[in-house]
Amino acid sequence: MTDGFPQKEYDVIIIGAGVIGCMIALELSRYDISAAVLEKHSDVGQETSSRNSGVVHAGFNYTPDELRGKLCVKGNELLHSLADSLGVEFDPIGKLTIAKDEADINTLHRLKEQGEANGVPGLAIVDSEAISKIEPAASGLAALYSPTSSIINPYQLTINAAETALLNGVDFFLNTEVSEIEKTQSGFGIKTDRGGFVSKVLINCSGLYSDKICRMLGINDYTIYPCKGEYFILDRQKSGFLKTLLYPTPRKNEPGLGIHLTPTTRGNIMVGPSAEYCSLCNDYSCTRNILGALVNEAASANDSITPGDFIRHFSGLRPKLTPPEVGGNADFVIEDREDKKGFINLVGIESPGLTASPAIAQLILPMLEKHLPLSKKSVWSYQKLKPKKYKDMSTDERISAVEADPNYGDIVCRCEQVTRTELIAAWNNPLGAKSLRSIKMRTGAMMGRCQSGFCLPKIAKVLEQEFSILPEDIRSSDADTQMFETLRKSK
Amino acid sequence: MNYIERDIVIIGGGPAGMAAALGAKEKAEKHKDDISILIVERSDSLGGILGQCIHDGFGLFKFNKILTGPEYSIRYEEQIAENKIEVMSSSYATKIEDGIVHVNSREGYIGLKYKAIILAMGCRERTYFNIGVSGSRPVGVYTAGTVQNLTNLANIKLGNRVVIVGSGDIGLIMARRLTLEGCKVIGVYEILPYPSGLERNIQQCLTDFNIPLHLQRSVTQIHGETHIEAVTITDYDEFQNPIKTNRITECDTVIFAVGLIPETELLPEGARLYKNTKGAFVDENNMTSVPGVFCCGNVLHVNDLVDWVSEESEYTGKCASNYIHRKKHKPCKIEVKAGDGISYVTPNSVSGTKSITFAMRVKTPHYNGADINFYDGEKLIFSKHEDSLIPSEMLHIKLSRKVMENAIAITVKTDE
């Protein structure tokens, strides 16, 4: 296994820095153990974690015998306060699951009972009058109202969890892809494209690739079926009509939860997701036939919406355990493998994975304790909260900000009102992620209606001015995404 | 908040803003008013989009010369300096609220109080998301204006084998520019049965450089993981219904030049919009439905020639000065609508007390010419025959006071 490079040793290694891996890292950082996260991309949260509805589910869609239902309810509760501590955008806007016919209403009653059995608070079946009162943009025969359903910024959650874990001693190795794993006497030998690692415990949080990681250890029990969900993001100016999550009543064997309208914490509305199985784990392409369905969905909620009002069309992949011929979705697999001692395996963490993430992290602890003594650190703290975004500042806050730091007076991204100060801070992020996508996820730049049309040249200029980054060194996301050629010579 | 007060605040120091400032000053001097004019410009210099338009063709009508963008701009910048018109550069107007413009700059976040404000912020580009292009999202997809900026100002090369979507002027200009910079422009793809840009640009940018123009075709899907590898081209009928698809391989860059949209985000709440242009609804003084708030240039409607922008903006500046001098304009109760064959007409309402030059565009080409007819209800009040009309060439028609003074509601139509 050794390839000439010194091996890095840790008590615990986590493979995958998505929201699950980062939340587990956050939890583990509280304990006196050495831990590291290996992530193949140039930043955390690059796959499913940043490509979802951003919904914090209440937990009524799962039967009481399922693990994911319990974890969802617990996670929902934890996120209400964790979001605050981590400085993550979070809004408990509530959800209406709309019934269009009698069959739907029966389903809603079943869901309500199910939710209550799972411990979901505040569920209520409301009539059409109440629907309009709660959410003027909605209409239906009846609806299930879940007050604890909320929205969160999922990639911000992933980043901030990772940064707090980093602050408290967890190492993050970005641009590091695992190629081989060997089960040894004392634990695991891990080979990556950046050198070797050794650990006592290995936690598999690799999402879409969790079956691949399993197979590296000779575990052939699982196959992940990537199931694509496409979304459209609506211009913020057209997004004011909806303040509550609106979902249709779920149908049996549907691989997802149906196309719905989701307000986001940034003030846009997202329409989607669709659900189609696809063959590749990195196929994030968007399909034209879904466009029509999603536009219709939005237009049925607000007839002033036209296709031109959509500013972006993107997709995410659900790491499904259920194959296309079966459909539906399966419970989480979270197991402490008996056959590979020390291998804690998480497979098929699709929805409600985001919601469940802090609860999943807590669930890991007793599994971990079987392999390592766990004692809490005496000193542990959350990362200092980041300053408020300029775009969210009040007039007085802006006056003070610019006075204290003139870089706040330099607006780099017009659409999202992102300033030079924030661009600099994003580039200087503690994880060392350096790409346009990293800037985008941290500041919101390039996410506006012009989709970087105006700010791309400005951002390139600022990177050169502030950090001597030449245009040819700028990456869109990972190392192989060079964007520019230039004739300029380095200074 | 610290406040500055100026009589006329102009947001945008491009050709529209500069011409408006000069028009306002000239008119104020006629009135013997001593007014203060301030231009607020977000970049570090005046000129707006002209700074990146290094090709020529500007100033043919205004100066009887063929100038490049910067050359055209400098003529105005010099006048701004000569007239000692105040400019705040690197200053960004964030919003207009309760009659105050909030402006952000390194010097501080301040409020500007004004008697009249002229919005001249120009326009933004339609993206490929707005037109529903599917496929992956690799490196290599851009809008034409962004490419122009990166190529001409930042000396950045984006790729070697380029597909351009949209035959509007900016797409045509970039086809030529990138060819001159050493790229292979595989073709320009236009969904309509006719090109969107000016005839002279088709000749000087495509024909002269042997760049194929494909009509009734567009890019509908992008392929490639990290970088673009190929695009799917779809053929359309003359009503933009897709007929069939085929594929082009080996392109590494796609440039979308699929339309410009007025950047109206700064408009104060309550300002009525004009659906046909996506700009503001304005009266004959280019004043919006919010008193004292004027618009001119591409923020009002997307122009094809900067010469018209200058004329329109100079006029708007004069109107703003008049407004301050008299404290109001004559009420504009006669609404002007675009009827059959006309995609838009501006201004949108008139008083009938002065002659007005209307700017408009036809919906479809009339190569053999057409009559442009102005109706008051059913009654024809004015007609002008125009030879060879195309949507990409803006039309200006002047109506006298006499023609309009008794009108109730005017509709403009074409009759072939």
Side-chain angles (χ1 to χ4, degrees):
Chain A
M1 186 60 52
T2 58
D3 44 12
F5 292 106
Q7 297 214 308
K8 299 188 183 54
E9 280 190 48
Y10 290 92
D11 292 327
V12 181
I13 283 184
I14 298 168
I15 301 179
V19 69
I20 305 297
C22 292
M23 291 296 261
I24 291 177
L26 174 65
E27 192 60 40
L28 295 192
S29 74
R30 298 175 191 273
Y31 296 88
D32 241 321
I33 50 174
S34 62
V37 182
L38 308 182
E39 168 54 52
K40 73 172 187 181
H41 289 298
S42 64
D43 199 353
V44 305
Q46 293 298 292
E47 304 221 12
T48 311
S49 303
S50 55
R51 297 163 175 278
N52 56 71
S53 309
V55 174
V56 178
H57 294 284
F60 54 78
N61 272 309
Y62 320 101
T63 57
D65 58 327
E66 289 182 290
L67 182 58
R68 54 188 178 155
K70 296 183 183 48
L71 292 172
C72 178
V73 175
K74 185 87 184 114
N76 182 309
E77 197 190 309
L78 289 171
L79 279 177
H80 271 77
S81 52
L82 189 58
D84 233 12
S85 311
L86 287 174
V88 175
E89 294 161 10
F90 180 90
D91 205 347
I93 59 175
K95 171 162 134 183
L96 286 166
T97 304
I98 305 281
K100 294 274 182 226
D101 53 34
E102 282 302 318
D104 280 350
I105 296 183
N106 290 335
T107 307
L108 290 187
H109 280 284
R110 179 176 60 78
L111 291 178
K112 178 170 182 282
E113 272 171 42
Q114 195 168 259
E116 280 160 355
N118 284 336
V120 178
L123 290 172
I125 304 278
V126 298
D127 62 16
S128 56
E129 205 187 309
I131 291 176
S132 307
K133 277 217 184 78
I134 293 170
E135 177 48 72
S139 63
L141 218 50
L144 175 63
Y145 181 60
S146 50
T148 57
S149 302
S150 312
I151 52 175
I152 196 168
N153 182 329
Y155 42 89
Q156 191 185 38
L157 177 66
T158 309
I159 290 166
N160 290 9
E163 289 181 349
T164 292
L166 179 74
L167 177 72
N168 291 286
V170 176
D171 287 339
F172 280 77
F173 293 90
L174 302 174
N175 301 301
T176 303
E177 183 168 359
V178 173
S179 53
E180 279 176 52
I181 307 175
E182 192 191 337
K183 181 79 185 79
T184 64
Q185 267 282 22
S186 48
F188 301 88
I190 299 147
K191 192 171 178 191
T192 76
D193 55 356
R194 292 274 191 111
F197 293 83
V198 158
S199 71
K200 300 191 182 105
V201 171
L202 184 61
I203 307 183
N204 181 10
C205 298
S206 52
L208 292 162
Y209 303 91
S210 48
D211 56 344
K212 188 170 161 204
I213 295 294
C214 282
R215 279 194 281 279
M216 285 183 195
L217 271 171
I219 297 169
N220 297 312
D221 305 351
Y222 303 107
T223 305
I224 292 290
Y225 300 91
C227 181
K228 186 182 295 183
E230 295 184 44
Y231 291 89
F232 267 94
I233 302 178
L234 196 57
D235 191 317
R236 195 178 298 123
Q237 278 194 331
K238 288 295 187 98
S239 296
F241 68 93
L242 185 68
K243 298 279 182 284
T244 318
L245 290 162
L246 276 191
Y247 276 62
T249 303
R251 298 271 143 92
K252 256 195 160 54
N253 290 333
E254 219 168 60
L257 287 173
I259 290 177
H260 52 89
L261 294 170
T262 313
T264 67
T265 56
R266 296 186 58 79
N268 301 85
I269 286 179
M270 287 208 305
V271 185
S274 54
E276 325 90 60
Y277 281 87
C278 59
S279 48
L280 293 171
C281 282
N282 58 355
D283 176 14
Y284 287 113
S285 62
C286 298
T287 57
R288 200 162 178 102
N289 48 331
I290 296 299
L291 166 73
L294 296 180
V295 170
N296 286 338
E297 190 63 36
S300 66
N302 184 319
D303 55 19
S304 74
I305 292 175
T306 59
D309 293 323
F310 289 99
I311 65 173
R312 193 172 183 97
H313 176 189
F314 73 99
S315 71
L317 293 170
R318 307 172 180 81
K320 274 194 172 304
L321 282 169
T322 51
E325 55 272 20
V326 171
N329 32 63
D331 198 3
F332 294 161
V333 167
I334 304 177
E335 56 183 8
D336 185 7
R337 295 289 296 203
E338 286 299 319
D339 52 346
K340 305 281 173 186
K341 269 209 152 37
F343 183 53
I344 298 176
N345 195 20
L346 290 90
V347 192
I349 315 296
E350 51 166 321
S351 185
L354 171 65
T355 309
S357 60
I360 291 175
Q362 289 185 352
L363 189 70
I364 300 297
L365 292 174
M367 293 181 184
L368 195 56
E369 240 175 339
K370 296 208 183 94
H371 310 286
L372 288 173
L374 285 185
S375 62
K376 260 213 163 127
K377 283 179 178 152
S378 51
V379 179
W380 187 95
S381 68
Y382 283 101
Q383 184 188 44
K384 191 171 127 196
L385 288 181
K386 297 188 178 125
K388 196 188 250 192
K389 287 194 158 85
Y390 174 90
K391 88 166 175 56
D392 298 326
M393 286 183 190
S394 68
T395 298
D396 284 335
E397 286 168 333
R398 286 180 178 187
I399 293 170
S400 309
V402 178
E403 204 178 311
D405 178 1
N407 278 335
Y408 270 116
D410 188 358
I411 290 188
V412 171
C413 164
R414 298 177 196 171
C415 302
E416 300 298 306
Q417 303 206 332
V418 178
T419 63
R420 185 181 283 242
T421 305
E422 290 152 320
L423 176 48
I424 291 172
W427 193 258
N428 283 332
N429 68 80
L431 288 166
K434 300 223 187 289
S435 69
L436 292 184
R437 191 144 202 266
S438 305
I439 294 172
K440 186 196 262 204
M441 300 215 307
R442 287 163 177 78
T443 64
M446 299 171 273
M447 285 185 162
R449 63 177 62 88
C450 87
Q451 288 292 300
S452 85
F454 281 125
C455 58
L456 183 59
K458 183 92 196 239
I459 290 173
K461 200 172 181 183
V462 172
L463 289 178
E464 190 164 359
Q465 286 169 347
E466 299 284 347
F467 302 104
S468 302
I469 305 288
L470 290 177
E472 61 261 38
D473 296 327
I474 294 176
R475 295 294 179 271
S476 172
S477 53
D478 290 341
D480 55 359
T481 58
Q482 182 174 5
M483 296 174 72
F484 306 133
E485 275 177 58
T486 178
L487 294 173
R488 285 210 282 298
K489 297 188 173 36
S490 28
K491 295 202 172 91
Chain B
M1 182 153 81
N2 288 332
Y3 293 101
I4 297 181
E5 283 190 48
R6 295 291 182 269
D7 295 314
I8 298 183
V9 169
I10 300 172
I11 309 289
M18 290 194 286
L22 295 168
K25 178 126 201 267
E26 191 188 316
K27 196 60 163 191
E29 273 164 4
K30 279 217 172 81
H31 289 311
K32 299 209 176 19
D33 284 338
D34 182 20
I35 63 165
S36 51
I37 302 173
L38 170 64
I39 296 177
V40 178
E41 166 54 46
R42 61 191 154 198
S43 74
D44 56 14
S45 57
L46 295 171
I49 204 72
L50 290 175
Q52 64 186 55
C53 297
I54 64 174
H55 54 284
D56 66 21
F58 301 91
L60 204 51
F61 295 103
K62 189 82 186 135
F63 300 116
N64 222 358
K65 285 191 180 309
I66 300 177
L67 304 170
T68 64
E71 284 174 327
Y72 187 97
S73 177
I74 281 171
R75 283 168 181 244
Y76 279 89
E77 293 175 52
E78 284 170 349
Q79 290 186 66
I80 295 287
E82 266 161 42
N83 281 279
K84 296 198 175 37
I85 291 176
E86 199 183 351
V87 177
M88 266 179 81
S89 57
S90 300
S91 301
Y92 186 88
T94 59
K95 62 180 168 187
I96 301 174
E97 204 172 65
D98 304 326
I100 301 190
V101 191
H102 291 225
V103 176
N104 193 37
S105 74
R106 299 184 72 86
E107 278 67 54
Y109 190 89
I110 62 167
L112 290 182
K113 291 184 179 170
Y114 56 85
K115 296 197 176 111
I117 183 167
I118 305 177
L119 302 180
M121 303 89 67
C123 56
R124 60 188 166 85
E125 300 188 275
R126 185 169 280 121
T127 68
Y128 68 113
F129 296 106
N130 298 141
I131 62 169
V133 174
S134 61
S136 50
R137 273 80 177 92
V139 168
V141 187
Y142 303 96
T143 48
T146 308
V147 176
Q148 190 179 52
N149 187 311
L150 290 170
T151 308
N152 296 345
L153 300 181
N155 197 22
I156 284 176
K157 188 182 191 193
L158 296 161
N160 295 298
R161 293 184 56 87
V162 184
V163 162
I164 297 181
V165 183
S167 62
D169 290 319
I170 179 69
L172 303 176
I173 295 291
M174 288 321 293
R176 178 177 63 188
R177 169 57 34 204
L178 292 176
T179 304
L180 290 170
E181 298 286 351
C183 306
K184 170 85 183 129
V185 177
I186 296 167
V188 174
Y189 294 82
E190 167 57 54
I191 197 174
L192 294 175
Y194 49 84
S196 310
L198 298 170
E199 191 51 49
R200 70 148 194 261
N201 284 331
I202 304 284
Q203 180 63 48
Q204 293 171 9
C205 298
L206 299 188
T207 319
D208 288 354
F209 288 86
N210 289 321
I211 297 170
L213 171 64
H214 301 272
L215 298 176
Q216 292 182 223
R217 284 197 175 150
S218 192
V219 166
T220 47
Q221 193 172 353
I222 301 199
H223 308 275
E225 211 186 296
T226 56
H227 294 82
I228 292 189
E229 284 155 28
V231 288
T232 297
I233 306 286
T234 296
D235 287 9
Y236 293 83
D237 67 15
E238 60 267 40
F239 304 106
Q240 292 90 66
N241 296 315
I243 311 174
K244 70 178 172 77
T245 62
N246 50 59
R247 179 179 284 218
I248 280 199
T249 53
E250 292 181 53
C251 73
D252 56 14
T253 313
V254 181
I255 296 174
F256 284 91
V258 292
L260 299 171
I261 303 166
E263 209 188 327
T264 52
E265 286 75 34
L266 261 187
L267 272 178
E269 216 169 306
R272 187 175 165 186
L273 287 178
Y274 178 40
K275 204 170 69 154
N276 300 31
T277 54
K278 294 200 183 359
F281 181 104
V282 293
D283 68 14
E284 64 191 7
N285 306 292
N286 287 340
M287 192 169 82
T288 68
S289 58
V290 179
V293 179
F294 296 79
C295 283
C296 59
N298 282 350
V299 79
L300 178 59
H301 62 129
V302 176
N303 283 254
D304 35 88
L305 292 179
V306 73
D307 308 61
W308 309 142
V309 166
S310 299
E311 298 242 322
E312 174 183 274
S313 305
E314 195 181 310
Y315 169 75
T316 308
K318 289 179 176 162
C319 293
S321 275
N322 278 341
Y323 177 79
I324 291 180
H325 184 71
R326 295 200 199 104
K327 306 285 192 307
K328 61 178 179 179
H329 289 130
K330 297 249 161 55
C332 294
K333 298 234 163 64
I334 308 167
E335 232 177 84
V336 181
K337 288 200 161 94
D340 295 333
I342 302 288
S343 57
Y344 76 82
V345 62
T346 187
N348 310 109
S349 66
V350 295
S351 63
T353 62
K354 61 176 178 175
S355 67
I356 293 294
T357 302
F358 293 95
M360 66 194 77
R361 290 188 191 271
V362 291
K363 271 193 178 139
T364 53
H366 300 265
Y367 298 112
N368 298 320
D371 293 333
I372 307 292
N373 295 323
F374 291 73
Y375 291 89
D376 173 21
E378 297 297 310
K379 184 169 133 210
L380 180 69
I381 56 172
F382 187 82
S383 179
K384 182 161 191 242
H385 182 80
E386 294 281 344
D387 302 323
S388 188
L389 292 170
I390 54 176
S392 62
E393 281 176 11
M394 193 183 296
L395 192 55
H396 291 95
I397 297 183
K398 186 171 177 177
L399 260 61
S400 69
R401 176 193 55 78
K402 210 153 180 282
V403 165
M404 293 188 289
E405 68 190 345
N406 294 315
I408 314 260
I410 299 177
T411 308
V412 190
K413 299 182 190 178
T414 57
D415 295 312
E416 200 133 40

